Amino acid sequence: MHGSGGNRLRWPELPAPVHDAVAGILGSPVVRAVSQSGGFSPGAADRVVAADGTRAFVKAVSAAQNEESPRMQEREARITAALPAAVPAPGFRGARWVGDWHVLVLEEVPGRQPRLPWRADDLAPVVAALERLAATATPCPVPDLPTAREALTGQLPADALDLLTGDTLVHLDLRADNVLLTAAGAVLVDWPHACVGPPWLDLLALLFEVDRLGGQDLAEATLRTSPLTRDVDPGVLTTVLSGFSAFFLGRAALPPPPGLPTLREFQRVQGEALTGWVRRRAAARG
């Protein structure tokens, strides 16, 4: 369970008007496409090459796959278009609606996803990118984003919500399949859940996966050494971890959403792993 829950469409399965919309954004028709796996969206995700040599990354989804996904992708388009160049994220090329399809075109990032289980040499550039994000996106440069508390109200218990104060741009959905490692550093992709919150929240959330896949010592060492978390009260981090554990386990008990058949199992596994991490932290503090 590494964060893949959708049944992704492939470029040839997309309707002709979607192909035409991408050609309109790029200024040239697509002649080659390589579909990408991973993530939870049921829509298409393709690295494409146009006839004039332009390279891009295309995402397309309709309400037929999942009723909420097109609107979520529209939000991702708005947020990505507003990100300053200093934020380690893909550049925005264009977006449009084609009937009930939403199409998003981004600059292609020539990188790879981190290897799983996480290794220290893959984690280090991602931590560096999050430290750079906190330095360049505090205060948050994207207008009209909810606070982390607002975004997570109804999901986390009140004691965790009360700790999510801050004015940093927060990605809020970091896993290996939302990161690309390049020669210049890590790039954070897929921004529909962005909000404003504490500068340590993204790093803590990223470490959910590190811990879950066997990197317990690596996760704790990162919390102790990163400037984002080393001076944060350990009890604050444990309370937020406990809140997310309750969230994942609660969601795991719900029926699976349309087009996302493995999401609930992922949430169950993540919730159980976080429960174990909280217990270890409590035991270590005596």
Side-chain angles (χ1 to χ4, degrees), residues 68-185:
E68 299 299 323
S69 291
R71 291 294 178 186
M72 183 177 293
Q73 186 169 287
E74 181 184 44
R75 185 170 188 271
E76 177 186 357
R78 178 182 65 81
I79 293 169
T80 305
L83 293 176
V87 172
F92 176 78
R93 297 294 301 271
R96 63 183 60 171
W97 285 92
V98 182
D100 69 345
W101 287 85
H102 188 270
V103 180
L104 172 59
V105 182
L106 304 169
E107 291 182 355
E108 183 188 32
V109 177
R112 64 169 177 85
Q113 292 179 353
R115 292 159 289 194
L116 296 177
W118 279 85
R119 298 167 28 157
D121 57 345
D122 279 358
L123 182 61
V126 187
V127 175
L130 292 176
E131 292 168 358
R132 186 166 69 253
L133 177 65
T136 60
T138 305
C140 178
V142 179
D144 303 322
L145 292 182
T147 65
R149 182 186 180 95
E150 290 168 340
L152 294 168
T153 292
Q155 303 177 30
L156 300 190
D159 60 344
L161 289 173
D162 289 342
L163 302 174
L164 300 183
T165 58
D167 61 350
T168 297
L169 173 64
V170 176
H171 181 285
L172 202 61
D173 192 28
L174 284 183
R175 305 180 305 270
D177 53 9
N178 283 341
V179 174
L180 289 170
L181 301 179
T182 76

Side-chain angles (χ1 to χ4, degrees), residues 128-256:
L130 292 176
E131 292 168 358
R132 186 166 69 253
L133 177 65
T136 60
T138 305
C140 178
V142 179
D144 303 322
L145 292 182
T147 65
R149 182 186 180 95
E150 290 168 340
L152 294 168
T153 292
Q155 303 177 30
L156 300 190
D159 60 344
L161 289 173
D162 289 342
L163 302 174
L164 300 183
T165 58
D167 61 350
T168 297
L169 173 64
V170 176
H171 181 285
L172 202 61
D173 192 28
L174 284 183
R175 305 180 305 270
D177 53 9
N178 283 341
V179 174
L180 289 170
L181 301 179
T182 76
V187 177
L188 315 180
V189 305
D190 292 348
W191 286 81
H193 303 287
C195 63
V196 185
W200 47 262
L201 183 54
D202 273 336
L203 178 56
L204 185 66
L206 176 69
L207 295 177
F208 294 175
E209 184 177 63
V210 177
D211 173 86
R212 173 169 58 84
L213 298 179
Q216 289 89 356
D217 291 343
L218 179 58
E220 285 290 348
T222 303
L223 290 180
R224 290 194 302 272
T225 57
S226 171
L228 295 176
T229 50
R230 66 191 178 200
D231 297 324
V232 178
D233 181 344
V236 166
L237 301 180
T238 301
T239 298
V240 175
L241 288 172
S242 179
F244 274 102
S245 172
F247 161 72
F248 281 115
L249 292 175
R251 287 299 176 95
L254 299 175

